[in-house]
Amino acid sequence: MAFLLICFSAGVALSTLYIRNTTKEFSRIIELHQIEYLRQDLIVRTQSVQSDLYTVRTPLAHTLDSIINNVTNLENAAKGCLNCHHIPEVSQRLEIIQKLIQDYQNALSYYITASADTERIDRLKLDAASIGNQLLVNSEEMSFDASRRLGLLTKSALIKIDKVKSILFITIMLTIISAIIIAIQITRSITKPVNELVNATREIAKGDLGYTISYKDRSEFGELANNFNMMSLALKDGYTKLQKEIKERQKIEDELIKAQKIESLGVLAGGIAHDFNNLLAAILGNIDLAKSDLKPEDELYDILKDAENASLRARDLTLQLLTFSRGGTPIRETADISKIIKESSTFTLTGSNVSCEYVLPDNLCPVAVDKGQISQVIHNLVLNARDAMPDGGTITIRAENVRVDAAENLPLAHGEYIKISVEDHGIGIAEENFSKIFDPYFTTKAMGDQRGMGLGLAICYSIIKKHEGFITVDSEIGKGTTFNIYLPHSEEKYITKKSIKEESLIPGEGRILFMDDEEIVQNTAGKMLRRLGYMPEFAKDGVEAIEFYRKAKESSLPFVAVIMDLTVPGKMGGKEAIRNLLEIDPDIKAIVSSGYSNNPIMTDFREYGFRGVISKPYKITELSKILHEVINGVEDSGQTKEN
């Protein structure tokens, strides 16, 4: 806009200057035209005087008054023209003409007033005529000069008029062009931010949230662009928060799905483990009885020993299944986690080409855990790490005290925890398997006894979950995997306990009431009890057990102890029967037994009125020990679990 104004102003100023100069030249042209009028007037009047002069004293002569009047008019015309503002050259010629007119007047005066001397009159007449002729010649010369200058001035004026036309044309064209350019710029200034906004909207529609417009104008468009950028950034921030919330909710949902899977499997696993343990109780018990009748050097002894080991391994498998069951509550005690880690990992890596490096500080806080279950977790994780490095390597196990808060983004109650990390440098876990590694029976190994059953990580997950902890995994293909376990701190201090060594058979005597709905279990238990010196009697459910115990209590041979199965399908089990038995005999010496080895009643048996606990399947040495402790009132009559 400023450029347009400058161009237009320059054109107008230049045109005005040329028009002013041209006007001056036209004024001079008019003056020259006045000279032409003067010349014509002078010539006419001079010729009139000359005519009057030559006709004096002739019949055609005018009066002397006519001559005097023409001369006077001639003088007045000269004076009137001289008063105009002429250039010096014209003024000089006018002065000469005026002088000639005066001389002409004088000559005519002399002529008119001359005496009768004819010769003198003729001479004066000729002098006056000569002056008149000079006056005519000067008038013609002045006219010639005026005409020449008139032509030059006219040509110059026309040239300037052409220049003015050109200047005005150029000015108008420049104004139009500048106006077009300015209009384009104004249009662009309007359409550009609009296009920017449209393009930004398209980018956001494509998914580029947070896209901003680089438009720093302070106009309405600049304010609009600034508000749009704020909206875009707010949209990106909101979307990021939404994605984070979705991920957190998805994580929670995944945890719920995992828990539901574990719970669903637990219902089945608990029933299978219970029935399987009943069978194992008969198998292991009979093997144990048969083996006790042989000498270690007998060939059959080794065969039975192998069968016993297989049964014990089967018992460990049922223990893993029971971890999923609803009754798989950890039997907790304050423990030294460093010791559990070292013992479990060392045992797992024995004979392998993989070593273990420990980073276990001395200030680790104590934890309340089921030592057998946590040992199983460490065993499974170390076993997986070992299998991930078939060419050998080093597994690093770290433990540290940590605090979990909202920033950790973990589904844990805020507080103090121990974080255990098991890190390998193996093949890693594929990203598509991350969501499935804790699923029961999911494995990337070949299925089978020597490879995998797909329960290892699922068991780890279930155990840690039941300890109010959490397990996470980080992995990168080709670089390795790290499992992180979080276990809550325990307020109790760790107290070192002496290990209980397996003892030989402890014989006993007296009547034993044995309640179990499985006949095969009754038969095996009966053989064991008789071998120990006891007299067994059997009941199939709680109702029979209550009736048998009441009758024995009233007789002279009461039962010295009662062993009751916890669960009897469709009938009264040990949990209900013990309440009735306690009413009959508050001092009853009852032992709870079940294939659900991790049932809460098995953990807190004293709270329900039992004096001891033994999990199926069990060996005769375990049965003799628990009976001896309960009958003789030995404290802490709980079965030592083998894991």
Side-chain angles (χ1 to χ4, degrees):
M1 183 65 72
F3 177 74
L4 174 62
L5 184 61
I6 291 171
C7 290
F8 184 77
S9 300
V12 171
L14 193 59
S15 300
T16 302
L17 180 62
Y18 272 101
I19 291 172
R20 182 180 178 185
N21 292 336
T22 305
T23 303
K24 288 182 179 180
E25 292 188 359
F26 274 117
S27 297
R28 293 173 64 187
I29 290 172
I30 292 171
E31 291 175 358
L32 289 174
H33 278 291
Q34 291 176 348
I35 293 172
E36 177 62 19
Y37 296 149
L38 172 63
R39 181 192 69 81
Q40 292 178 359
D41 191 32
L42 287 173
I43 290 174
V44 170
R45 294 183 184 281
T46 302
Q47 287 178 345
S48 297
V49 173
Q50 288 287 86
S51 175
D52 290 341
L53 181 62
Y54 283 110
T55 59
V56 171
R57 298 180 178 89
T58 64
L60 299 174
H62 290 85
T63 63
L64 290 175
D65 292 336
S66 176
I67 295 173
I68 293 170
N69 185 47
N70 286 330
V71 172
T72 300
N73 290 334
L74 183 64
E75 181 181 11
N76 291 334
K79 288 181 179 179
C81 187
L82 186 62
N83 290 331
C84 297
H85 299 286
H86 298 295
I87 60 175
E89 293 84 354
V90 176
S91 298
Q92 186 177 3
R93 283 189 176 277
L94 287 173
E95 290 175 356
I96 293 172
I97 290 173
Q98 189 176 27
K99 186 176 183 303
L100 286 173
I101 291 172
Q102 290 176 356
D103 292 343
Y104 194 31
Q105 286 177 335
N106 292 333
L108 288 173
S109 297
Y110 291 148
Y111 173 67
I112 293 171
T113 60
S115 62
D117 185 354
T118 304
E119 182 179 352
R120 184 170 177 268
I121 290 171
D122 290 338
R123 184 171 50 79
L124 290 172
K125 177 182 179 181
L126 291 173
D127 289 341
S130 175
I131 292 171
N133 289 334
Q134 288 182 6
L135 183 60
L136 290 172
V137 171
N138 276 279
S139 296
E140 289 292 339
E141 288 180 354
M142 185 180 67
S143 175
F144 176 77
D145 289 341
S147 297
R148 181 177 60 81
R149 294 193 61 80
L150 181 62
L152 293 174
L153 287 173
T154 302
K155 183 178 180 180
S156 175
L158 291 174
I159 291 173
K160 289 182 178 179
I161 288 173
D162 288 338
K163 287 183 178 179
V164 170
K165 287 169 61 179
S166 299
I167 291 171
L168 289 175
F169 177 77
I170 292 172
T171 301
I172 293 171
M173 291 304 296
L174 285 175
T175 302
I176 293 173
I177 293 172
S178 299
I180 292 172
I181 293 173
I182 291 173
I184 292 173
Q185 292 296 328
I186 293 174
T187 303
R188 286 182 178 176
S189 67
I190 296 174
T191 58
K192 182 179 179 181
V194 173
N195 291 335
E196 286 282 351
L197 286 172
V198 172
N199 181 62
T201 304
R202 289 172 180 168
E203 291 297 324
I204 290 177
K206 292 178 182 177
D208 186 9
L209 301 180
Y211 183 88
T212 56
I213 302 172
S214 57
Y215 198 84
K216 300 180 180 179
D217 197 319
R218 291 188 177 181
S219 64
E220 291 83 358
F221 286 112
E223 185 177 354
L224 179 61
N226 183 55
N227 291 334
F228 181 90
N229 290 342
M230 292 174 63
M231 179 193 71
S232 178
L233 293 173
L235 183 62
K236 181 180 181 181
D237 183 60
Y239 181 77
T240 302
K241 290 180 179 178
L242 178 62
Q243 288 294 102
K244 184 178 180 181
E245 184 176 349
I246 290 174
K247 287 182 179 178
E248 290 177 357
R249 290 188 178 183
Q250 185 64 46
K251 195 172 183 179
I252 294 173
E253 288 178 5
D254 291 343
E255 293 302 318
L256 290 174
I257 291 171
K258 289 176 186 176
Q260 289 171 357
K261 289 180 180 179
I262 298 297
E263 185 176 357
S264 298
L265 181 62
V267 175
L268 175 63
I272 293 175
H274 175 265
D275 294 339
F276 193 48
N277 276 338
N278 283 336
L279 296 175
L280 282 177
I283 295 171
L284 184 60
N286 283 303
I287 291 174
D288 200 24
L289 287 171
K291 193 179 66 169
S292 63
D293 290 333
L294 299 173
K295 295 180 180 179
E297 59 269 16
D298 292 339
E299 181 179 356
L300 187 58
Y301 184 90
D302 292 334
I303 296 174
L304 292 175
K305 183 67 175 176
D306 291 339
E308 181 184 51
N309 291 335
S311 299
L312 292 174
R313 289 187 62 185
R315 184 177 69 175
D316 292 338
L317 178 59
T318 60
L319 182 62
Q320 293 184 31
L321 291 174
L322 283 169
T323 303
F324 295 108
S325 69
R326 289 173 295 180
T329 303
I331 303 174
R332 302 190 190 187
E333 58 180 304
T334 304
D336 181 359
I337 194 66
S338 297
K339 182 178 180 181
I340 295 174
I341 291 171
K342 289 181 179 179
E343 289 180 352
S344 299
S345 57
T346 301
F347 175 78
T348 305
L349 296 177
T350 300
S352 71
N353 58 351
V354 175
S355 61
C356 197
E357 177 183 351
Y358 302 101
V359 183
L360 305 172
D362 296 332
N363 64 340
L364 287 177
C365 295
V367 288
V369 296
D370 185 315
K371 292 193 291 185
Q373 290 187 1
I374 296 301
S375 295
Q376 188 176 357
V377 170
I378 300 299
H379 167 77
N380 290 345
L381 294 181
V382 172
L383 186 63
N384 281 351
R386 184 198 70 183
D387 292 343
M389 298 186 294
D391 296 328
T394 301
I395 299 171
T396 302
I397 302 180
R398 296 182 176 86
E400 58 182 322
N401 299 320
V402 297
R403 177 170 181 80
V404 172
D405 52 29
E408 299 294 330
N409 193 25
L410 292 172
L412 291 171
H414 299 171
E416 304 296 328
Y417 289 81
I418 282 185
K419 178 182 178 182
I420 304 170
S421 301
V422 180
E423 178 185 358
D424 66 61
H425 303 283
I427 57 177
I429 300 172
E431 185 176 353
E432 61 269 18
N433 292 333
F434 262 60
S435 61
K436 299 179 287 186
I437 58 174
F438 294 113
D439 289 352
Y441 298 109
F442 173 79
T443 180
T444 56
K445 304 176 184 178
M447 296 292 284
D449 180 63
Q450 300 299 320
R451 300 304 300 166
M453 297 296 293
L455 287 174
L457 291 179
I459 290 171
C460 293
Y461 178 87
S462 181
I463 290 173
I464 298 302
K465 194 75 173 177
K466 289 174 181 177
H467 279 78
E468 289 84 43
F470 192 65
I471 181 170
T472 66
V473 59
D474 296 313
S475 185
E476 188 173 350
I477 294 295
K479 293 189 176 181
T481 302
T482 300
F483 282 91
N484 299 306
I485 300 169
Y486 294 84
L487 292 172
H489 283 186
S490 172
E491 298 298 330
E492 299 180 5
K493 293 184 179 180
Y494 170 68
I495 301 175
T496 304
K497 296 181 179 180
K498 296 181 180 180
S499 60
I500 302 175
K501 296 182 180 179
E502 184 176 353
E503 301 175 358
S504 58
L505 294 180
I506 304 175
E509 59 181 355
R511 297 175 68 194
I512 302 292
L513 177 59
F514 189 90
M515 186 201 84
D516 198 293
D517 62 317
E518 293 285 349
E519 185 177 354
I520 189 173
V521 175
Q522 290 182 4
N523 293 334
T524 304
K527 295 175 184 177
M528 289 182 175
L529 291 171
R530 293 186 189 96
R531 177 68 60 89
L532 294 173
Y534 297 103
M535 294 181 294
E537 291 191 21
F538 304 99
K540 292 183 178 180
D541 56 46
V543 175
E544 283 190 1
I546 295 170
E547 184 64 25
F548 290 169
Y549 192 85
R550 180 182 291 109
K551 290 180 179 180
K553 179 70 173 174
E554 295 172 355
S555 69
S556 58
L557 291 174
F559 294 113
V560 296
V562 178
I563 301 175
M564 291 190 293
D565 189 9
L566 186 60
T567 305
V568 178
K571 296 182 180 181
M572 182 185 291
K575 179 180 178 181
E576 296 81 7
I578 189 62
R579 290 197 291 264
N580 292 279
L581 292 174
L582 286 170
E583 293 177 0
I584 298 172
D585 182 7
D587 296 324
I588 185 174
K589 296 178 179 180
I591 300 170
V592 62
S593 177
S594 177
Y596 293 110
S597 58
N598 290 337
N599 189 288
I601 298 177
M602 301 286 284
T603 305
D604 301 319
F605 59 90
R606 295 186 189 280
E607 299 295 328
Y608 296 89
F610 294 101
R611 300 287 184 91
V613 60
I614 186 169
S615 298
K616 293 187 286 187
Y618 44 80
K619 298 168 66 174
I620 190 172
T621 53
E622 297 168 347
L623 181 60
S624 67
K625 179 176 180 295
I626 193 65
L627 283 170
H628 172 74
E629 291 176 349
V630 169
I631 293 172
N632 294 284
V634 179
E635 293 294 329
D636 218 13
S637 300
Q639 179 192 11
T640 301
K641 292 168 58 179
E642 297 181 13
N643 296 295

PDB file of all heavy atoms in Angstrom, residues 558-573:
ATOM      1  N   PRO A 558     -10.835 -95.678  74.651  1.00  0.00           N
ATOM      2  CA  PRO A 558     -11.040 -94.505  73.779  1.00  0.00           C
ATOM      3  C   PRO A 558      -9.912 -94.382  72.757  1.00  0.00           C
ATOM      4  O   PRO A 558      -8.860 -94.990  72.891  1.00  0.00           O
ATOM      5  CB  PRO A 558     -11.039 -93.352  74.767  1.00  0.00           C
ATOM      6  CG  PRO A 558     -10.184 -93.826  75.890  1.00  0.00           C
ATOM      7  CD  PRO A 558     -10.419 -95.311  76.016  1.00  0.00           C
ATOM      8  N   PHE A 559     -10.165 -93.557  71.746  1.00  0.00           N
ATOM      9  CA  PHE A 559      -9.140 -93.298  70.723  1.00  0.00           C
ATOM     10  C   PHE A 559      -8.084 -92.347  71.283  1.00  0.00           C
ATOM     11  O   PHE A 559      -8.408 -91.321  71.892  1.00  0.00           O
ATOM     12  CB  PHE A 559      -9.772 -92.685  69.471  1.00  0.00           C
ATOM     13  CG  PHE A 559     -10.714 -93.616  68.748  1.00  0.00           C
ATOM     14  CD1 PHE A 559     -12.079 -93.361  68.689  1.00  0.00           C
ATOM     15  CD2 PHE A 559     -10.226 -94.758  68.117  1.00  0.00           C
ATOM     16  CE1 PHE A 559     -12.941 -94.205  68.021  1.00  0.00           C
ATOM     17  CE2 PHE A 559     -11.093 -95.614  67.448  1.00  0.00           C
ATOM     18  CZ  PHE A 559     -12.454 -95.334  67.400  1.00  0.00           C
ATOM     19  N   VAL A 560      -6.830 -92.721  71.066  1.00  0.00           N
ATOM     20  CA  VAL A 560      -5.741 -91.833  71.508  1.00  0.00           C
ATOM     21  C   VAL A 560      -5.541 -90.674  70.533  1.00  0.00           C
ATOM     22  O   VAL A 560      -4.946 -89.648  70.873  1.00  0.00           O
ATOM     23  CB  VAL A 560      -4.435 -92.634  71.670  1.00  0.00           C
ATOM     24  CG1 VAL A 560      -4.586 -93.668  72.778  1.00  0.00           C
ATOM     25  CG2 VAL A 560      -4.004 -93.284  70.364  1.00  0.00           C
ATOM     26  N   ALA A 561      -6.007 -90.844  69.298  1.00  0.00           N
ATOM     27  CA  ALA A 561      -5.878 -89.776  68.290  1.00  0.00           C
ATOM     28  C   ALA A 561      -6.869 -90.030  67.167  1.00  0.00           C
ATOM     29  O   ALA A 561      -7.322 -91.172  66.963  1.00  0.00           O
ATOM     30  CB  ALA A 561      -4.462 -89.701  67.732  1.00  0.00           C
ATOM     31  N   VAL A 562      -7.194 -88.956  66.445  1.00  0.00           N
ATOM     32  CA  VAL A 562      -8.102 -89.042  65.297  1.00  0.00           C
ATOM     33  C   VAL A 562      -7.417 -88.399  64.098  1.00  0.00           C
ATOM     34  O   VAL A 562      -6.865 -87.284  64.202  1.00  0.00           O
ATOM     35  CB  VAL A 562      -9.436 -88.319  65.585  1.00  0.00           C
ATOM     36  CG1 VAL A 562     -10.349 -88.386  64.364  1.00  0.00           C
ATOM     37  CG2 VAL A 562     -10.123 -88.926  66.793  1.00  0.00           C
ATOM     38  N   ILE A 563      -7.435 -89.089  62.965  1.00  0.00           N
ATOM     39  CA  ILE A 563      -6.917 -88.533  61.708  1.00  0.00           C
ATOM     40  C   ILE A 563      -8.101 -88.406  60.763  1.00  0.00           C
ATOM     41  O   ILE A 563      -8.762 -89.404  60.448  1.00  0.00           O
ATOM     42  CB  ILE A 563      -5.833 -89.436  61.093  1.00  0.00           C
ATOM     43  CG1 ILE A 563      -4.662 -89.615  62.073  1.00  0.00           C
ATOM     44  CG2 ILE A 563      -5.343 -88.846  59.772  1.00  0.00           C
ATOM     45  CD1 ILE A 563      -3.610 -90.593  61.587  1.00  0.00           C
ATOM     46  N   MET A 564      -8.412 -87.163  60.323  1.00  0.00           N
ATOM     47  CA  MET A 564      -9.604 -86.944  59.505  1.00  0.00           C
ATOM     48  C   MET A 564      -9.251 -86.246  58.188  1.00  0.00           C
ATOM     49  O   MET A 564      -8.451 -85.286  58.158  1.00  0.00           O
ATOM     50  CB  MET A 564     -10.612 -86.085  60.265  1.00  0.00           C
ATOM     51  CG  MET A 564     -11.234 -86.791  61.459  1.00  0.00           C
ATOM     52  SD  MET A 564     -12.618 -85.842  62.151  1.00  0.00           S
ATOM     53  CE  MET A 564     -11.767 -84.424  62.784  1.00  0.00           C
ATOM     54  N   ASP A 565      -9.873 -86.774  57.144  1.00  0.00           N
ATOM     55  CA  ASP A 565      -9.742 -86.127  55.836  1.00  0.00           C
ATOM     56  C   ASP A 565     -10.529 -84.818  55.880  1.00  0.00           C
ATOM     57  O   ASP A 565     -11.618 -84.747  56.449  1.00  0.00           O
ATOM     58  CB  ASP A 565     -10.282 -87.047  54.739  1.00  0.00           C
ATOM     59  CG  ASP A 565      -9.963 -86.517  53.337  1.00  0.00           C
ATOM     60  OD1 ASP A 565      -9.178 -85.540  53.244  1.00  0.00           O
ATOM     61  OD2 ASP A 565     -10.498 -87.060  52.354  1.00  0.00           O
ATOM     62  N   LEU A 566     -10.008 -83.791  55.271  1.00  0.00           N
ATOM     63  CA  LEU A 566     -10.643 -82.476  55.318  1.00  0.00           C
ATOM     64  C   LEU A 566     -11.892 -82.415  54.446  1.00  0.00           C
ATOM     65  O   LEU A 566     -12.887 -81.779  54.799  1.00  0.00           O
ATOM     66  CB  LEU A 566      -9.639 -81.397  54.879  1.00  0.00           C
ATOM     67  CG  LEU A 566     -10.087 -79.951  54.995  1.00  0.00           C
ATOM     68  CD1 LEU A 566     -10.413 -79.594  56.428  1.00  0.00           C
ATOM     69  CD2 LEU A 566      -9.002 -79.016  54.453  1.00  0.00           C
ATOM     70  N   THR A 567     -11.832 -83.083  53.274  1.00  0.00           N
ATOM     71  CA  THR A 567     -12.922 -82.971  52.305  1.00  0.00           C
ATOM     72  C   THR A 567     -13.496 -84.342  51.988  1.00  0.00           C
ATOM     73  O   THR A 567     -12.770 -85.260  51.595  1.00  0.00           O
ATOM     74  CB  THR A 567     -12.427 -82.316  50.997  1.00  0.00           C
ATOM     75  OG1 THR A 567     -11.818 -81.062  51.311  1.00  0.00           O
ATOM     76  CG2 THR A 567     -13.578 -82.094  50.042  1.00  0.00           C
ATOM     77  N   VAL A 568     -14.825 -84.468  52.153  1.00  0.00           N
ATOM     78  CA  VAL A 568     -15.554 -85.685  51.771  1.00  0.00           C
ATOM     79  C   VAL A 568     -16.670 -85.243  50.835  1.00  0.00           C
ATOM     80  O   VAL A 568     -17.627 -84.603  51.289  1.00  0.00           O
ATOM     81  CB  VAL A 568     -16.137 -86.424  52.985  1.00  0.00           C
ATOM     82  CG1 VAL A 568     -16.923 -87.651  52.527  1.00  0.00           C
ATOM     83  CG2 VAL A 568     -15.033 -86.817  53.956  1.00  0.00           C
ATOM     84  N   PRO A 569     -16.589 -85.529  49.543  1.00  0.00           N
ATOM     85  CA  PRO A 569     -17.593 -85.043  48.593  1.00  0.00           C
ATOM     86  C   PRO A 569     -19.005 -85.463  48.978  1.00  0.00           C
ATOM     87  O   PRO A 569     -19.291 -86.645  49.183  1.00  0.00           O
ATOM     88  CB  PRO A 569     -17.166 -85.686  47.269  1.00  0.00           C
ATOM     89  CG  PRO A 569     -15.706 -85.937  47.426  1.00  0.00           C
ATOM     90  CD  PRO A 569     -15.516 -86.289  48.872  1.00  0.00           C
ATOM     91  N   GLY A 570     -19.910 -84.487  49.126  1.00  0.00           N
ATOM     92  CA  GLY A 570     -21.318 -84.752  49.395  1.00  0.00           C
ATOM     93  C   GLY A 570     -21.636 -85.106  50.826  1.00  0.00           C
ATOM     94  O   GLY A 570     -22.810 -85.307  51.171  1.00  0.00           O
ATOM     95  N   LYS A 571     -20.631 -85.192  51.702  1.00  0.00           N
ATOM     96  CA  LYS A 571     -20.880 -85.586  53.089  1.00  0.00           C
ATOM     97  C   LYS A 571     -20.070 -84.699  54.021  1.00  0.00           C
ATOM     98  O   LYS A 571     -19.307 -83.846  53.580  1.00  0.00           O
ATOM     99  CB  LYS A 571     -20.531 -87.058  53.297  1.00  0.00           C
ATOM    100  CG  LYS A 571     -21.405 -88.018  52.480  1.00  0.00           C
ATOM    101  CD  LYS A 571     -21.049 -89.464  52.764  1.00  0.00           C
ATOM    102  CE  LYS A 571     -21.922 -90.412  51.934  1.00  0.00           C
ATOM    103  NZ  LYS A 571     -21.607 -91.833  52.206  1.00  0.00           N
ATOM    104  N   MET A 572     -20.234 -84.938  55.331  1.00  0.00           N
ATOM    105  CA  MET A 572     -19.523 -84.127  56.315  1.00  0.00           C
ATOM    106  C   MET A 572     -18.040 -84.449  56.313  1.00  0.00           C
ATOM    107  O   MET A 572     -17.631 -85.605  56.390  1.00  0.00           O
ATOM    108  CB  MET A 572     -20.091 -84.371  57.725  1.00  0.00           C
ATOM    109  CG  MET A 572     -19.434 -83.511  58.799  1.00  0.00           C
ATOM    110  SD  MET A 572     -20.004 -83.919  60.480  1.00  0.00           S
ATOM    111  CE  MET A 572     -21.683 -83.326  60.392  1.00  0.00           C
ATOM    112  N   GLY A 573     -17.241 -83.385  56.195  1.00  0.00           N
ATOM    113  CA  GLY A 573     -15.795 -83.562  56.210  1.00  0.00           C
ATOM    114  C   GLY A 573     -15.204 -83.208  57.560  1.00  0.00           C
ATOM    115  O   GLY A 573     -15.916 -82.974  58.543  1.00  0.00           O
TER     116      GLY A 573
END
